Amino acid sequence: AQKITQTQPGMFVQEKEAVTLDCTYDTSDPSYGLFWYKQPSSGEMIFLIYQGSYDQQNATEGRYSLNFQKARKSANLVISASQLGDSAMYFCAMREPLRGSTLGRLYFGRGTQLTVWP
Amino acid sequence: DAGITQSPRYKITETGRQVTLMCHQTWSHSYMFWYRQDLGHGLRLIYYSAAADITDKGEVPDGYVVSRSKTENFPLTLESATRSQTSVYFCASSDRPHNSPLHFGNGTRLTVT
């Protein structure tokens, strides 16, 4: 079963508008971490934002915020005031704690390609 | 410079050859990972390591070997390269076992002809 599901292969947004990228996850562990990464066309993986499962408030980092709905197991990324440089692939990921052989590995979704147009 | 570096950035090799991809980090992070990225599959874990001399298999370990004699280095070896191993390979490190991000290198684009 997929641990991380990103249902939007592609999204389009106009510059200066906000956009929400969807992510749902699957875990039975009460302790986990949720992450978003950005991968521009140059290929590097850039860490954007982190949300812990016990965090009461939604994480924010500049123009990025994570809409965390624990009961629904969703962790959507909201980008406010989109810029042309935000055009990239965005990956949602989850990290579970050490459990025997899992060693805190990061599970990735398939990604959402965001295109920002002027 | 501090960080995580991978070498080479690009590599072309022939089927059957042995290839080693290098990964070096300067943070002294305990946890290191190798992922491969392929269209349609996203990022898949090949091997990971919790410390020097401690490694374990991920989702897709067949055809790969790793070693970690020093904390800062985590080389990945393709023992006998196959065309199906054409991919982009990412090395990553983390300072804690969970609830901290993985920091990625810039990747190695490997083509097996």
Side-chain angles (χ1 to χ4, degrees):
Chain A
Q2 282 232 321
K3 290 271 189 180
I4 298 286
T5 302
Q6 294 181 253
T7 56
Q8 306 154 315
M11 287 285 285
F12 293 84
V13 65
Q14 190 170 24
E15 203 176 6
K16 298 178 187 173
E17 298 293 310
V19 63
T20 297
L21 307 184
D22 293 343
C23 173
T24 57
Y25 59 92
D26 180 30
T27 182
S28 56
D29 203 299
S31 175
Y32 50 89
L34 296 159
F35 304 83
W36 278 91
Y37 285 84
K38 173 184 178 181
Q39 186 177 40
S41 58
S42 51
E44 68 269 32
M45 295 288 288
I46 302 166
F47 164 67
L48 294 178
I49 194 167
Y50 158 76
Q51 178 86 40
S53 60
Y54 293 119
D55 293 343
Q56 295 296 312
Q57 296 200 322
N58 288 341
T60 59
E61 288 287 347
R63 294 185 299 109
Y64 304 108
S65 60
L66 201 153
N67 184 357
F68 181 46
Q69 297 187 45
K70 196 169 181 176
R72 295 174 120 185
K73 292 189 176 177
S74 79
N76 298 339
L77 177 70
V78 180
I79 305 175
S80 63
S82 298
Q83 302 172 354
L84 296 177
D86 293 335
S87 292
M89 182 73 86
Y90 288 81
F91 291 97
C92 180
M94 178 177 68
R95 200 169 182 201
E96 292 174 325
L98 251 72
R99 286 278 187 273
S101 64
T102 64
L103 259 184
R105 57 168 290 187
L106 204 59
Y107 296 92
F108 283 91
R110 296 267 173 101
T112 296
Q113 180 68 45
L114 176 67
T115 303
V116 181
W117 50 285
Chain B
D1 286 346
I4 182 164
T5 55
Q6 293 183 236
S7 60
R9 287 298 310 275
Y10 303 93
K11 177 74 178 177
I12 300 173
T13 191
E14 293 177 344
T15 301
R17 291 196 179 260
Q18 183 179 79
V19 177
T20 296
L21 309 184
M22 305 302 291
C23 178
H24 175 80
Q25 51 105 354
T26 58
W27 292 305
S28 299
H29 285 173
S30 293
Y31 302 91
M32 295 190 75
F33 305 79
W34 275 106
Y35 284 86
R36 61 178 287 176
Q37 184 177 27
D38 305 286
L39 275 174
H41 290 280
L43 284 99
R44 293 181 291 175
L45 183 66
I46 306 171
Y47 268 96
Y48 52 98
S49 169
D53 297 324
I54 301 176
T55 62
D56 207 349
K57 296 177 181 178
E59 291 176 78
V60 289
D62 293 344
Y64 302 96
V65 173
V66 293
S67 61
R68 194 158 176 218
S69 56
K70 292 184 178 181
T71 298
E72 60 266 30
N73 296 324
F74 191 38
L76 176 74
T77 298
L78 287 67
E79 294 182 293
S80 177
T82 65
R83 289 204 178 96
S84 65
Q85 292 177 311
T86 293
S87 186
V88 179
Y89 291 85
F90 285 99
C91 179
S93 72
S94 174
D95 59 342
R96 284 177 275 159
H98 85 295
N99 288 354
S100 71
L102 269 61
H103 299 279
F104 285 80
N106 285 336
T108 294
R109 184 176 292 276
L110 176 68
T111 302
V112 182
T113 62

